[in-house]
Amino acid sequence: MASMEKTKPLYARSLLVPSVQGLAKDPNFTIPSRYIRTDQDQPLLSDNDHALCFPHQIPVIDFQKLLADESNGSDSELEKFHLACKDWGFFQLVNHGVSSSFLEKAKTEFQNIFKLPFEEKKKLWQTPEELEGFGQIFVVSEEQKLDWSDLFMLTTLPIHARKPLLFTKLSSTSRETLETYSMELQGLELSIMSQIEKALKLKDEEVRELFEGGNQAIRVNYYLPCPQPEKVIGLNPHSDAGGLTILLQVNDVEGIQVKKNGEWVTVKPLPNAFIVNIGDVLEIESNAEHC
């Protein structure tokens, strides 16, 4: 997952918590109470669930068609894109220009990060002062309920905002892949911003200028199988605070759900598509332009 933000996030620290991956290795494992989520809607787990039968799906945008509209004067894909951003805030992006072979390599590297031996992971663990590395974020109290997942997060752009000590502890292959992934997504992010400008009929680069040079972070989420999945939640329901979030799934598990008109809609991921989320900052900026 790559997230692009206008400014540096306000949050600066998170309480350290155990690794879910580590907990699950215990043969006598039972789910700790902090992970049992009676405070949320029950997860939707089967094809018979209402949300999985909900007739809608998040829109699919063909990026090459969107760029072609720009050259031939057509607005069919642009209108579809506009409605996806306005009515859903989510869409799947296909034919986006990032090669499938590279994405497969990136998926492998992201998975390998979580396959590191525990002693290697300890070198990449969060500290009380930082969010980056292995752990969880937004943990502000010892009583807070926790997600049934681990994450690895680091700032990738601008380069001067990176944590050099964290990057140097990664393997050379992981560093190279993260570097390429970061640059590929930066270009894609700015291209999407340009299309948002056209959809909103704004001046050229009016939105891009707000986000060029902004922060980009890559967050890799690892969701573990759970013996009692009905009791836990992989990631707490939320909206993303930044400008754009571009998500790449490593498999075709239908785990992401989007709330639309009070209904949870399960996303059926397409092969090597990006799932794009319009974040709070971009939504606020776009609304401000129309006030």
Side-chain angles (χ1 to χ4, degrees), residues 11-14 126-127 129-134 136-138 151 153:
Y11 48 83
R13 62 181 61 196
S14 181
Q126 290 173 335
T127 67
E129 294 77 30
E130 300 287 349
L131 289 178
E132 298 185 37
F134 281 108
Q136 285 197 24
I137 60 174
F138 307 123
L151 68 81
M153 178 172 141

Side-chain angles (χ1 to χ4, degrees), residues 18 32 37 39-40 48 100 133 135 163 168 184 186 203 214 272:
R37 304 303 298 266
D39 59 324
Q40 295 289 345
N48 294 322
S100 296
K163 300 290 187 294
T168 56
E184 289 277 6
Q186 183 190 41
K203 296 176 183 177
N272 287 327

Side-chain angles (χ1 to χ4, degrees), residues 212-227:
E212 264 181 332
N215 284 67
Q216 181 199 70
I218 290 179
R219 169 176 168 171
V220 186
N221 296 318
Y222 184 82
Y223 302 103
L224 288 88
C226 180

Side-chain angles (χ1 to χ4, degrees), residues 111-124:
Q111 289 174 299
N112 286 342
I113 289 174
F114 285 94
K115 292 179 181 177
L116 288 171
F118 182 70
E119 290 303 314
E120 291 299 310
K121 284 183 183 175
K122 282 172 63 177
K123 300 174 185 177
L124 299 166

Side-chain angles (χ1 to χ4, degrees), residues 65-262:
K65 286 184 180 179
L66 191 60
L67 296 176
D69 282 354
E70 181 180 352
S71 61
N72 64 23
S74 168
D75 61 0
S76 57
E77 198 71 14
L78 183 63
E79 180 61 22
K80 184 179 174 184
F81 171 74
H82 187 193
L83 291 174
C85 295
K86 183 175 71 172
D87 294 347
W88 284 84
F90 272 87
F91 55 89
Q92 291 199 70
L93 192 68
V94 298
N95 293 329
H96 41 65
V98 184
S99 76
S100 296
S101 59
F102 172 70
L103 291 181
E104 291 301 329
K105 177 182 178 182
K107 290 177 188 179
T108 299
E109 283 302 316
F110 294 153
Q111 289 174 299
N112 286 342
I113 289 174
F114 285 94
K115 292 179 181 177
L116 288 171
F118 182 70
E119 290 303 314
E120 291 299 310
K121 284 183 183 175
K122 282 172 63 177
K123 300 174 185 177
L124 299 166
W125 218 262
Q126 290 173 335
T127 67
E129 294 77 30
E130 300 287 349
L131 289 178
E132 298 185 37
F134 281 108
Q136 285 197 24
I137 60 174
F138 307 123
V139 182
V140 297
S141 80
E142 297 292 346
E143 294 75 35
Q144 180 178 330
K145 292 293 186 178
L146 300 175
D147 296 332
W148 188 256
S149 60
D150 288 336
L151 68 81
F152 178 75
M153 178 172 141
L154 70 170
T155 298
T156 42
L157 292 174
I159 292 174
H160 65 76
R162 294 178 181 177
K163 300 290 187 294
L165 289 177
L166 189 61
F167 264 85
T168 56
K169 291 172 184 174
L170 293 168
S171 71
S172 59
T173 306
S174 292
R175 288 199 304 271
E176 179 185 340
T177 301
L178 283 166
E179 182 74 49
T180 303
Y181 189 79
S182 169
M183 300 311 296
E184 289 277 6
L185 263 64
Q186 183 190 41
L188 183 59
E189 288 159 352
L190 295 175
S191 294
I192 293 171
M193 294 292 187
S194 292
Q195 297 305 313
I196 289 174
E197 290 166 349
K198 291 180 174 60
L200 294 175
K201 297 181 171 58
L202 299 176
K203 296 176 183 177
D204 286 349
E205 301 192 359
E206 196 167 339
V207 175
R208 277 180 57 128
E209 286 177 357
L210 293 171
F211 290 91
E212 264 181 332
N215 284 67
Q216 181 199 70
I218 290 179
R219 169 176 168 171
V220 186
N221 296 318
Y222 184 82
Y223 302 103
L224 288 88
C226 180
Q228 295 175 291
E230 73 281 359
K231 292 187 176 182
V232 302
I233 292 179
L235 193 60
N236 198 49
H238 65 282
S239 63
D240 285 351
L244 280 179
T245 296
I246 300 180
L247 172 68
L248 175 68
Q249 281 200 210
V250 301
N251 54 39
D252 58 0
V253 173
E254 296 174 7
I256 300 174
Q257 294 173 342
V258 176
K259 204 164 196 178
K260 168 73 169 168
N261 297 332

